[in-house]
Amino acid sequence: MLCDNITRASDGTLLFAGQSVNALADRWGTPLYLMDEDRIRQNCRMYLSAFRSAFGEDALPLYAGKAAAFRQIYRIMAEEGLGVDAVSPGEIGTALSAGYPAENIYYHGDGKTDQDIAFALDHGVGCFIVDNGDELISLQEHASARGLRQKVLLRITPGIDPHTYHAINTGAVDVKFGVPVETGQAMEFVRAALGMKNIDVAGLHCHVGSMVFDEDVFLRTVDLMVGFMADVRGELGLVFRELNLGGGYGVRYTDDDPTADIPARIGEVAARLRSRLSEAGLPVPRFLMEPGRSIVADAGMTVYTVCSVKRIPGYKSYVITDGGMTDNPRYCLYGSAYTVLHTAPRGKLRAIFDLAGRCCESGDIIQPAISLPAATGRGDRIAVCTTGAYNYSMASNYNRFGRPPVVMLRGGESYLAVRRERIEDVLAQDL
Ligand code: LLP
Protein backbone atom coordinates (compact mmCIF):
# COMPACT_ATOMS: atom_id res chain seq x y z
CA MET A 1 0.00 0.00 0.00
CA LEU A 2 0.92 3.62 -0.50
CA CYS A 3 1.26 4.39 3.20
CA ASP A 4 1.14 2.07 6.21
CA ASN A 5 -2.05 3.68 7.60
CA ILE A 6 -3.95 2.39 4.50
CA THR A 7 -4.72 -1.35 4.73
CA ARG A 8 -7.42 -3.88 3.77
CA ALA A 9 -9.35 -6.13 6.17
CA SER A 10 -9.43 -9.88 5.47
CA ASP A 11 -12.72 -9.42 3.55
CA GLY A 12 -11.02 -6.86 1.30
CA THR A 13 -12.71 -3.73 2.70
CA LEU A 14 -10.60 -0.63 3.07
CA LEU A 15 -9.23 0.47 6.45
CA PHE A 16 -7.69 3.84 7.28
CA ALA A 17 -5.71 4.16 10.51
CA GLY A 18 -7.14 0.71 11.30
CA GLN A 19 -10.79 1.82 10.97
CA SER A 20 -13.37 0.75 8.40
CA VAL A 21 -13.71 3.51 5.81
CA ASN A 22 -17.25 2.41 4.96
CA ALA A 23 -18.30 2.48 8.61
CA LEU A 24 -16.82 5.99 8.96
CA ALA A 25 -18.67 7.12 5.82
CA ASP A 26 -21.93 5.63 7.19
CA ARG A 27 -21.47 7.44 10.47
CA TRP A 28 -20.28 10.85 9.26
CA GLY A 29 -21.68 11.02 5.71
CA THR A 30 -19.85 11.86 2.48
CA PRO A 31 -17.97 13.64 1.03
CA LEU A 32 -15.78 13.29 4.08
CA TYR A 33 -12.25 14.32 5.01
CA LEU A 34 -10.58 11.86 7.36
CA MET A 35 -7.43 12.89 9.25
CA ASP A 36 -5.26 10.36 11.05
CA GLU A 37 -4.26 12.28 14.17
CA ASP A 38 -1.81 9.62 15.26
CA ARG A 39 0.02 10.04 11.94
CA ILE A 40 0.10 13.84 12.26
CA ARG A 41 1.67 13.51 15.71
CA GLN A 42 4.14 10.93 14.44
CA ASN A 43 5.19 13.31 11.63
CA CYS A 44 5.58 16.19 14.12
CA ARG A 45 7.78 14.03 16.37
CA MET A 46 9.84 12.87 13.41
CA TYR A 47 10.59 16.53 12.54
CA LEU A 48 11.30 17.58 16.12
CA SER A 49 13.68 14.73 16.79
CA ALA A 50 15.43 15.15 13.41
CA PHE A 51 15.86 18.89 14.08
CA ARG A 52 17.15 18.36 17.61
CA SER A 53 19.61 15.67 16.69
CA ALA A 54 20.90 17.64 13.68
CA PHE A 55 20.93 21.15 15.17
CA GLY A 56 20.42 20.99 18.95
CA GLU A 57 17.56 21.83 21.30
CA ASP A 58 16.69 25.30 20.02
CA ALA A 59 16.01 24.23 16.41
CA LEU A 60 12.29 24.41 15.64
CA PRO A 61 10.06 23.09 12.86
CA LEU A 62 7.18 25.49 12.16
CA TYR A 63 4.02 23.85 10.88
CA ALA A 64 2.88 25.64 7.68
CA GLY A 65 -0.81 26.02 8.39
CA LYS A 66 -1.63 26.73 4.76
CA ALA A 67 -1.55 22.94 4.26
CA ALA A 68 -4.50 22.47 6.62
CA ALA A 69 -5.69 25.09 9.10
CA PHE A 70 -8.44 24.48 11.65
CA ARG A 71 -8.51 24.70 15.43
CA GLN A 72 -7.76 21.09 16.24
CA ILE A 73 -4.60 21.10 14.10
CA TYR A 74 -3.26 24.05 16.10
CA ARG A 75 -4.12 22.32 19.41
CA ILE A 76 -2.08 19.36 18.20
CA MET A 77 0.82 21.65 17.19
CA ALA A 78 0.75 23.32 20.62
CA GLU A 79 0.81 19.92 22.33
CA GLU A 80 3.59 18.61 20.11
CA GLY A 81 5.68 21.77 20.63
CA LEU A 82 5.95 22.89 17.01
CA GLY A 83 6.05 26.53 15.95
CA VAL A 84 3.55 27.77 13.37
CA ASP A 85 3.84 29.57 10.04
CA ALA A 86 0.71 31.63 9.34
CA VAL A 87 -0.07 33.67 6.22
CA SER A 88 -3.18 35.61 7.14
CA PRO A 89 -5.15 37.06 10.04
CA GLY A 90 -7.48 34.12 9.44
CA GLU A 91 -4.77 31.55 10.12
CA ILE A 92 -3.43 33.59 13.06
CA GLY A 93 -6.94 34.00 14.48
CA THR A 94 -7.64 30.29 14.10
CA ALA A 95 -4.42 29.40 15.93
CA LEU A 96 -5.05 31.92 18.73
CA SER A 97 -8.65 30.81 19.17
CA ALA A 98 -7.34 27.26 19.68
CA GLY A 99 -5.08 28.50 22.49
CA TYR A 100 -1.94 28.40 20.37
CA PRO A 101 0.71 30.79 21.84
CA ALA A 102 1.14 33.96 19.74
CA GLU A 103 4.88 34.15 20.40
CA ASN A 104 5.47 30.93 18.46
CA ILE A 105 3.73 32.24 15.32
CA TYR A 106 5.83 33.35 12.35
CA TYR A 107 3.73 35.62 10.17
CA HIS A 108 4.23 35.36 6.41
CA GLY A 109 2.60 36.99 3.40
CA ASP A 110 3.64 39.11 0.45
CA GLY A 111 0.61 41.40 0.65
CA LYS A 112 0.06 42.40 4.25
CA THR A 113 -2.34 45.34 4.59
CA ASP A 114 -2.15 47.96 7.34
CA GLN A 115 -5.02 46.16 9.07
CA ASP A 116 -3.17 42.83 8.86
CA ILE A 117 -0.02 44.33 10.35
CA ALA A 118 -1.98 46.02 13.14
CA PHE A 119 -3.88 42.79 13.86
CA ALA A 120 -0.69 40.74 14.18
CA LEU A 121 1.09 43.34 16.34
CA ASP A 122 -1.92 43.79 18.60
CA HIS A 123 -2.12 40.03 19.12
CA GLY A 124 1.56 39.69 19.98
CA VAL A 125 2.63 37.55 17.03
CA GLY A 126 6.22 36.50 17.75
CA CYS A 127 7.89 37.13 14.44
CA PHE A 128 7.04 38.79 11.13
CA ILE A 129 8.58 37.29 8.02
CA VAL A 130 8.87 40.49 6.02
CA ASP A 131 8.47 39.95 2.30
CA ASN A 132 9.39 43.34 0.85
CA GLY A 133 10.46 46.93 1.46
CA ASP A 134 6.95 48.41 1.49
CA GLU A 135 5.92 46.04 4.25
CA LEU A 136 9.08 46.89 6.20
CA ILE A 137 8.30 50.62 6.16
CA SER A 138 4.73 50.05 7.21
CA LEU A 139 5.74 47.61 9.96
CA GLN A 140 8.25 50.15 11.31
CA GLU A 141 5.50 52.79 11.48
CA HIS A 142 3.00 50.52 13.22
CA ALA A 143 5.60 49.13 15.65
CA SER A 144 6.82 52.62 16.47
CA ALA A 145 3.26 53.85 17.10
CA ARG A 146 2.87 51.03 19.63
CA GLY A 147 6.29 51.50 21.22
CA LEU A 148 7.31 47.95 20.20
CA ARG A 149 10.47 46.49 18.75
CA GLN A 150 9.20 43.73 16.47
CA LYS A 151 11.30 40.66 15.75
CA VAL A 152 11.49 39.91 12.02
CA LEU A 153 13.05 37.54 9.52
CA LEU A 154 13.71 39.03 6.10
CA ARG A 155 12.51 36.91 3.19
CA ILE A 156 15.06 36.77 0.43
CA THR A 157 15.00 34.96 -2.89
CA PRO A 158 18.12 32.90 -3.38
CA GLY A 159 17.55 32.27 -7.11
CA ILE A 160 17.03 28.51 -7.11
CA ASP A 161 14.63 26.71 -9.40
CA PRO A 162 13.59 23.50 -7.64
CA HIS A 163 12.08 22.05 -10.86
CA THR A 164 8.76 21.16 -9.35
CA TYR A 165 5.64 22.53 -11.00
CA HIS A 166 5.48 26.20 -11.90
CA ALA A 167 2.73 27.39 -9.56
CA ILE A 168 4.63 26.23 -6.47
CA ASN A 169 8.12 27.28 -7.53
CA THR A 170 8.97 30.09 -5.15
CA GLY A 171 12.74 30.40 -5.01
CA ALA A 172 13.65 31.58 -8.54
CA VAL A 173 14.81 35.19 -8.99
CA ASP A 174 11.66 36.53 -10.69
CA VAL A 175 8.95 35.08 -8.44
CA LYS A 176 6.61 37.41 -6.55
CA PHE A 177 7.96 36.42 -3.12
CA GLY A 178 10.86 37.92 -1.22
CA VAL A 179 13.70 40.15 -2.34
CA PRO A 180 16.31 38.75 -4.76
CA VAL A 181 19.95 38.38 -3.82
CA GLU A 182 21.17 38.37 -7.43
CA THR A 183 20.02 41.91 -8.22
CA GLY A 184 21.62 43.38 -5.10
CA GLN A 185 18.20 44.27 -3.70
CA ALA A 186 18.43 41.81 -0.80
CA MET A 187 21.49 43.61 0.62
CA GLU A 188 19.62 46.93 0.46
CA PHE A 189 16.63 45.29 2.15
CA VAL A 190 18.82 44.20 5.09
CA ARG A 191 20.48 47.62 5.24
CA ALA A 192 17.08 49.35 5.36
CA ALA A 193 15.81 47.03 8.12
CA LEU A 194 18.94 47.59 10.21
CA GLY A 195 18.34 51.33 10.07
CA MET A 196 14.85 51.01 11.60
CA LYS A 197 14.58 51.57 15.33
CA ASN A 198 11.52 49.40 15.90
CA ILE A 199 12.66 46.45 13.82
CA ASP A 200 14.75 43.66 15.37
CA VAL A 201 16.41 41.83 12.47
CA ALA A 202 16.73 38.27 13.83
CA GLY A 203 17.49 36.47 10.62
CA LEU A 204 16.74 35.40 7.09
CA HIS A 205 14.05 33.33 5.45
CA CYS A 206 13.79 31.64 2.08
CA HIS A 207 11.50 29.05 0.55
CA VAL A 208 12.41 27.48 -2.76
CA GLY A 209 9.36 25.39 -3.61
CA SER A 210 7.07 22.57 -2.68
CA MET A 211 7.06 18.83 -3.52
CA VAL A 212 10.86 18.86 -3.59
CA PHE A 213 12.49 15.42 -3.88
CA ASP A 214 15.83 16.54 -5.34
CA GLU A 215 18.23 16.36 -2.36
CA ASP A 216 20.53 18.85 -3.96
CA VAL A 217 17.99 21.70 -3.86
CA PHE A 218 18.30 22.32 -0.12
CA LEU A 219 22.09 21.92 -0.20
CA ARG A 220 22.43 24.54 -2.95
CA THR A 221 20.06 26.75 -0.95
CA VAL A 222 22.35 26.43 2.08
CA ASP A 223 25.36 27.45 -0.05
CA LEU A 224 23.58 30.54 -1.35
CA MET A 225 22.19 31.58 2.00
CA VAL A 226 25.54 31.23 3.77
CA GLY A 227 27.20 33.15 0.91
CA PHE A 228 24.72 35.97 1.47
CA MET A 229 25.12 35.81 5.27
CA ALA A 230 28.89 36.21 4.80
CA ASP A 231 28.36 39.17 2.44
CA VAL A 232 26.05 40.83 4.97
CA ARG A 233 28.58 40.40 7.77
CA GLY A 234 31.28 41.85 5.51
CA GLU A 235 29.22 44.80 4.32
CA LEU A 236 26.99 45.61 7.29
CA GLY A 237 28.70 43.83 10.18
CA LEU A 238 25.51 41.94 11.02
CA VAL A 239 25.50 38.29 12.14
CA PHE A 240 22.06 36.67 11.92
CA ARG A 241 20.63 34.72 14.88
CA GLU A 242 18.05 32.66 12.93
CA LEU A 243 17.90 30.96 9.56
CA ASN A 244 14.63 29.62 8.15
CA LEU A 245 14.84 27.49 5.00
CA GLY A 246 11.07 27.27 4.36
CA GLY A 247 9.10 24.12 3.60
CA GLY A 248 8.92 21.84 0.66
CA TYR A 249 9.70 18.16 1.27
CA GLY A 250 7.71 15.97 -1.14
CA VAL A 251 5.28 13.21 -0.20
CA ARG A 252 4.07 10.04 -1.92
CA TYR A 253 0.81 10.51 -3.80
CA THR A 254 1.24 7.38 -5.92
CA ASP A 255 3.41 4.28 -5.87
CA ASP A 256 5.60 5.95 -8.52
CA ASP A 257 6.65 8.72 -6.11
CA PRO A 258 9.82 8.21 -4.08
CA THR A 259 9.75 8.17 -0.28
CA ALA A 260 11.63 11.14 1.15
CA ASP A 261 13.84 10.14 4.09
CA ILE A 262 13.36 13.47 5.85
CA PRO A 263 15.59 12.87 8.92
CA ALA A 264 18.42 11.85 6.58
CA ARG A 265 17.87 14.92 4.37
CA ILE A 266 17.86 17.21 7.42
CA GLY A 267 21.09 15.59 8.61
CA GLU A 268 22.68 16.42 5.24
CA VAL A 269 21.44 20.00 5.40
CA ALA A 270 22.92 20.33 8.90
CA ALA A 271 26.29 18.93 7.81
CA ARG A 272 26.43 21.24 4.78
CA LEU A 273 25.36 24.25 6.82
CA ARG A 274 27.95 23.63 9.54
CA SER A 275 30.74 23.24 7.01
CA ARG A 276 29.79 26.34 4.97
CA LEU A 277 29.36 28.42 8.14
CA SER A 278 32.71 27.35 9.52
CA GLU A 279 34.42 28.16 6.19
CA ALA A 280 32.83 31.61 6.42
CA GLY A 281 33.73 31.98 10.11
CA LEU A 282 30.07 32.41 11.09
CA PRO A 283 28.30 30.91 14.14
CA VAL A 284 25.46 28.38 13.65
CA PRO A 285 22.15 30.28 13.86
CA ARG A 286 18.94 28.86 15.30
CA PHE A 287 17.59 26.62 12.56
CA LEU A 288 13.96 26.73 11.38
CA MET A 289 11.98 25.15 8.56
CA GLU A 290 8.29 25.29 7.68
CA PRO A 291 6.99 21.88 6.63
CA GLY A 292 3.31 21.74 5.73
CA ARG A 293 2.56 18.96 3.26
CA SER A 294 4.95 16.44 4.82
CA ILE A 295 3.22 16.80 8.22
CA VAL A 296 -0.40 16.36 7.16
CA ALA A 297 -0.65 14.95 3.61
CA ASP A 298 -0.37 11.23 4.41
CA ALA A 299 -2.67 11.73 7.41
CA GLY A 300 -5.56 12.53 5.05
CA MET A 301 -8.08 10.56 3.02
CA THR A 302 -11.24 11.80 1.28
CA VAL A 303 -14.25 9.52 0.97
CA TYR A 304 -16.97 9.97 -1.65
CA THR A 305 -20.17 8.18 -2.55
CA VAL A 306 -20.72 7.34 -6.21
CA CYS A 307 -23.73 9.18 -7.66
CA SER A 308 -23.54 7.78 -11.16
CA VAL A 309 -21.39 5.73 -13.54
CA LYS A 310 -21.47 6.95 -17.11
CA ARG A 311 -20.07 4.83 -19.95
CA ILE A 312 -19.64 6.47 -23.35
CA PRO A 313 -18.87 3.61 -25.76
CA GLY A 314 -15.81 4.22 -27.87
CA TYR A 315 -14.83 7.18 -25.66
CA LYS A 316 -14.48 6.99 -21.90
CA SER A 317 -16.25 6.20 -18.69
CA TYR A 318 -16.85 8.37 -15.65
CA VAL A 319 -17.45 7.65 -12.01
CA ILE A 320 -19.32 10.72 -10.78
CA THR A 321 -19.11 11.39 -7.04
CA ASP A 322 -20.78 13.63 -4.49
CA GLY A 323 -17.60 15.77 -4.23
CA GLY A 324 -15.21 17.29 -6.76
CA MET A 325 -13.06 20.36 -7.40
CA THR A 326 -14.78 22.08 -4.47
CA ASP A 327 -13.10 19.74 -1.98
CA ASN A 328 -9.99 18.89 -4.03
CA PRO A 329 -9.01 21.40 -6.74
CA ARG A 330 -5.45 20.06 -7.08
CA TYR A 331 -5.87 18.04 -10.26
CA CYS A 332 -7.68 20.98 -11.91
CA LEU A 333 -4.99 23.44 -10.82
CA TYR A 334 -1.79 21.45 -11.06
CA GLY A 335 -2.60 18.15 -12.77
CA SER A 336 -1.71 16.46 -9.48
CA ALA A 337 -1.71 12.67 -9.30
CA TYR A 338 -3.60 10.74 -6.62
CA THR A 339 -4.14 7.13 -5.65
CA VAL A 340 -7.83 6.24 -5.82
CA LEU A 341 -9.26 3.12 -4.14
CA HIS A 342 -12.65 1.42 -4.06
CA THR A 343 -13.59 0.81 -0.41
CA ALA A 344 -15.01 -2.71 -0.91
CA PRO A 345 -14.33 -5.63 -3.26
CA ARG A 346 -16.47 -5.67 -6.43
CA GLY A 347 -15.19 -8.65 -8.42
CA LYS A 348 -11.89 -9.08 -10.25
CA LEU A 349 -12.68 -7.32 -13.53
CA ARG A 350 -11.39 -3.74 -13.65
CA ALA A 351 -12.00 -0.78 -15.94
CA ILE A 352 -10.61 2.69 -16.49
CA PHE A 353 -12.66 5.71 -15.36
CA ASP A 354 -12.24 9.41 -14.88
CA LEU A 355 -13.18 10.22 -11.29
CA ALA A 356 -15.40 13.29 -11.62
CA GLY A 357 -17.18 15.62 -9.25
CA ARG A 358 -20.62 17.19 -9.34
CA CYS A 359 -19.65 20.76 -10.17
CA CYS A 360 -21.11 22.39 -13.21
CA GLU A 361 -18.04 22.33 -15.43
CA SER A 362 -16.49 19.60 -17.51
CA GLY A 363 -13.02 20.21 -16.03
CA ASP A 364 -14.30 19.09 -12.63
CA ILE A 365 -12.15 15.98 -12.51
CA ILE A 366 -10.63 14.69 -9.28
CA GLN A 367 -8.37 12.25 -11.11
CA PRO A 368 -8.39 10.98 -14.72
CA ALA A 369 -7.86 7.44 -16.01
CA ILE A 370 -7.97 5.48 -12.79
CA SER A 371 -8.49 1.75 -12.48
CA LEU A 372 -11.54 0.70 -10.43
CA PRO A 373 -13.70 -2.43 -10.35
CA ALA A 374 -15.70 -2.59 -13.59
CA ALA A 375 -18.84 -3.21 -11.51
CA THR A 376 -18.51 0.11 -9.61
CA GLY A 377 -21.99 1.60 -9.26
CA ARG A 378 -24.17 4.15 -7.52
CA GLY A 379 -23.87 4.06 -3.74
CA ASP A 380 -20.34 2.61 -3.72
CA ARG A 381 -17.66 4.43 -1.73
CA ILE A 382 -14.44 5.72 -3.31
CA ALA A 383 -11.41 6.86 -1.31
CA VAL A 384 -8.77 9.31 -2.53
CA CYS A 385 -5.54 8.94 -0.57
CA THR A 386 -3.01 11.48 0.72
CA THR A 387 -5.46 14.39 0.78
CA GLY A 388 -4.42 15.80 4.16
CA ALA A 389 -2.56 18.78 2.66
CA TYR A 390 -4.01 21.54 0.47
CA ASN A 391 -7.44 19.93 0.13
CA TYR A 392 -9.56 21.18 3.05
CA SER A 393 -7.50 24.40 3.05
CA MET A 394 -8.15 25.02 -0.67
CA ALA A 395 -11.79 23.93 -0.69
CA SER A 396 -14.41 26.33 -2.04
CA ASN A 397 -18.15 26.87 -2.14
CA TYR A 398 -18.31 26.84 -5.94
CA ASN A 399 -21.85 26.05 -7.03
CA ARG A 400 -22.76 26.71 -3.40
CA PHE A 401 -21.74 23.28 -2.25
CA GLY A 402 -20.86 23.17 1.45
CA ARG A 403 -17.39 22.00 2.46
CA PRO A 404 -17.13 18.46 3.85
CA PRO A 405 -16.48 17.90 7.56
CA VAL A 406 -13.07 16.96 8.92
CA VAL A 407 -13.18 13.84 11.08
CA MET A 408 -10.11 12.96 13.11
CA LEU A 409 -9.04 9.37 13.79
CA ARG A 410 -7.23 8.74 17.05
CA GLY A 411 -6.43 5.45 18.78
CA GLY A 412 -9.23 3.56 17.01
CA GLU A 413 -11.85 6.28 17.67
CA SER A 414 -13.20 9.03 15.44
CA TYR A 415 -14.37 12.53 16.35
CA LEU A 416 -15.46 15.67 14.53
CA ALA A 417 -12.94 18.52 14.20
CA VAL A 418 -14.76 20.64 11.59
CA ARG A 419 -18.46 20.13 11.00
CA ARG A 420 -20.08 19.86 7.59
CA GLU A 421 -21.11 23.18 6.06
CA ARG A 422 -24.86 23.31 5.64
CA ILE A 423 -26.82 25.56 3.33
CA GLU A 424 -27.35 27.92 6.32
CA ASP A 425 -23.56 28.26 6.70
CA VAL A 426 -23.10 28.99 3.03
CA LEU A 427 -25.90 31.57 3.26
CA ALA A 428 -24.62 33.16 6.47
CA GLN A 429 -23.03 36.20 4.79
CA ASP A 430 -25.85 36.90 2.32
CA LEU A 431 -28.06 39.89 3.19
N1 LLP B 1 6.76 28.11 3.70
C1 LLP B 1 6.40 28.91 2.68
C2 LLP B 1 6.87 30.28 2.64
C3 LLP B 1 5.56 28.42 1.67
O1 LLP B 1 5.23 29.21 0.66
C4 LLP B 1 5.10 27.08 1.73
C5 LLP B 1 4.22 26.55 0.70
C6 LLP B 1 5.49 26.29 2.82
C7 LLP B 1 6.33 26.83 3.79
C8 LLP B 1 5.03 24.87 2.99
O2 LLP B 1 5.51 24.07 1.98
P1 LLP B 1 5.25 22.49 1.99
O3 LLP B 1 6.09 21.90 3.10
O4 LLP B 1 3.80 22.28 2.26
O5 LLP B 1 5.65 22.05 0.67
N2 LLP B 1 -1.28 24.65 -3.04
C9 LLP B 1 -0.11 23.95 -3.54
C10 LLP B 1 1.07 24.12 -2.61
C11 LLP B 1 1.44 25.53 -2.43
C12 LLP B 1 2.60 25.67 -1.50
C13 LLP B 1 2.74 27.08 -1.13
N3 LLP B 1 3.75 27.31 -0.20
C14 LLP B 1 -0.43 22.48 -3.67
O6 LLP B 1 -1.59 22.10 -3.45
O7 LLP B 1 0.43 21.69 -4.06
Side-chain angles (χ1 to χ4, degrees):
M1 274 291 189
L2 186 66
C3 182
D4 59 13
N5 56 4
I6 307 167
T7 52
R8 294 241 178 224
S10 50
D11 64 358
T13 55
L14 190 67
L15 305 177
F16 189 49
Q19 302 192 42
S20 159
V21 173
N22 278 347
L24 289 163
D26 288 343
R27 173 165 178 203
W28 300 105
T30 61
L32 171 65
Y33 293 121
L34 297 174
M35 285 289 245
D36 174 357
E37 176 175 336
D38 300 324
R39 172 53 54 119
I40 297 173
R41 291 184 185 271
Q42 203 177 316
N43 289 337
C44 291
R45 288 170 198 174
M46 174 273 287
Y47 265 106
L48 262 179
S49 86
F51 269 49
R52 288 185 177 157
S53 63
F55 291 99
E57 289 300 306
D58 72 338
L60 188 66
L62 313 174
Y63 167 64
K66 68 206 83 190
F70 48 90
R71 282 191 183 138
Q72 184 60 4
I73 281 277
Y74 291 109
R75 292 187 192 111
I76 294 171
M77 294 306 148
E79 285 170 15
E80 294 297 330
L82 265 68
V84 154
D85 143 0
V87 295
S88 67
E91 286 184 5
I92 295 169
T94 306
L96 295 179
S97 77
Y100 189 87
E103 62 271 20
N104 290 346
I105 298 179
Y106 283 68
Y107 179 26
H108 263 288
D110 58 330
K112 298 184 183 86
T113 64
D114 284 321
Q115 291 90 324
D116 296 342
I117 291 171
F119 177 89
L121 287 176
D122 292 340
H123 286 88
V125 161
C127 185
F128 274 61
I129 300 187
V130 179
D131 180 88
N132 56 67
D134 288 330
E135 177 187 336
L136 194 57
I137 292 166
S138 179
L139 179 59
Q140 161 60 29
E141 284 166 7
H142 283 277
S144 157
R146 288 166 177 75
L148 298 170
R149 190 148 186 270
Q150 178 61 44
K151 173 181 163 185
V152 307
L153 301 184
L154 300 175
R155 180 165 182 169
I156 64 165
T157 323
I160 288 190
D161 184 348
H163 299 294
T164 60
Y165 47 103
H166 183 70
I168 57 172
N169 160 12
T170 37
V173 178
D174 59 351
V175 295
K176 69 166 186 156
F177 295 105
V179 179
V181 174
E182 190 186 295
T183 56
Q185 288 163 293
M187 186 64 77
E188 294 318 305
F189 189 36
V190 180
R191 192 191 306 278
L194 269 183
M196 293 179 176
K197 273 210 345 258
N198 301 81
I199 302 286
D200 167 23
V201 185
L204 293 178
H205 171 278
C206 69
H207 170 80
V208 291
S210 204
M211 271 307 274
V212 176
F213 282 109
D214 180 355
E215 299 151 31
D216 207 39
V217 165
F218 285 106
L219 301 182
R220 284 189 289 132
T221 304
V222 164
D223 294 351
L224 277 146
M225 294 302 279
V226 175
F228 183 66
M229 288 161 73
D231 290 348
V232 168
R233 196 221 12 222
E235 200 160 326
L236 306 171
L238 174 68
V239 175
F240 294 110
R241 321 194 290 274
E242 289 193 5
L243 176 64
N244 179 336
L245 293 189
Y249 286 114
V251 302
R252 259 159 76 78
Y253 286 104
T254 71
D255 289 326
D256 295 334
D257 288 327
T259 308
D261 182 348
I262 292 172
R265 298 287 87 79
I266 289 169
E268 289 158 14
V269 167
R272 182 74 150 248
L273 188 61
R274 282 183 204 289
S275 97
R276 292 288 180 263
L277 288 167
S278 96
E279 284 160 25
L282 286 166
V284 181
R286 181 184 194 211
F287 184 77
L288 311 168
M289 280 185 89
E290 301 160 343
R293 192 188 312 266
S294 50
I295 289 186
V296 288
D298 65 0
M301 175 181 276
T302 308
V303 193
Y304 302 102
T305 301
V306 175
C307 295
S308 150
V309 176
K310 192 171 284 184
R311 297 184 175 80
I312 310 170
Y315 291 87
K316 61 159 77 166
S317 301
Y318 291 95
V319 166
I320 298 170
T321 68
D322 55 357
M325 63 194 293
T326 40
D327 61 79
N328 183 356
R330 295 191 70 256
Y331 175 74
C332 301
L333 284 171
Y334 318 117
S336 305
Y338 279 100
T339 300
V340 179
L341 302 172
H342 197 289
T343 60
R346 276 283 178 280
K348 291 248 175 303
L349 193 63
R350 299 187 70 89
I352 301 297
F353 299 92
D354 278 11
L355 187 70
R358 54 174 171 166
C359 292
C360 204
E361 70 179 71
S362 44
D364 174 26
I365 301 294
I366 302 166
Q367 194 63 198
I370 50 157
S371 165
L372 286 173
T376 297
R378 181 172 169 89
D380 288 2
R381 260 56 180 270
I382 303 292
V384 178
C385 305
T386 331
T387 56
Y390 304 113
N391 275 235
Y392 170 72
S393 62
M394 294 177 74
S396 76
N397 290 128
Y398 182 45
N399 292 164
R400 300 233 120 182
F401 285 117
R403 292 174 180 81
V406 180
V407 166
M408 309 292 288
L409 309 180
R410 179 176 61 199
E413 307 278 323
S414 62
Y415 67 93
L416 197 59
V418 180
R419 66 173 171 71
R420 186 180 298 285
E421 274 179 2
R422 302 152 303 176
I423 178 73
E424 302 86 277
D425 301 314
V426 177
L427 272 171
Q429 308 309 319
D430 286 21
L431 300 176

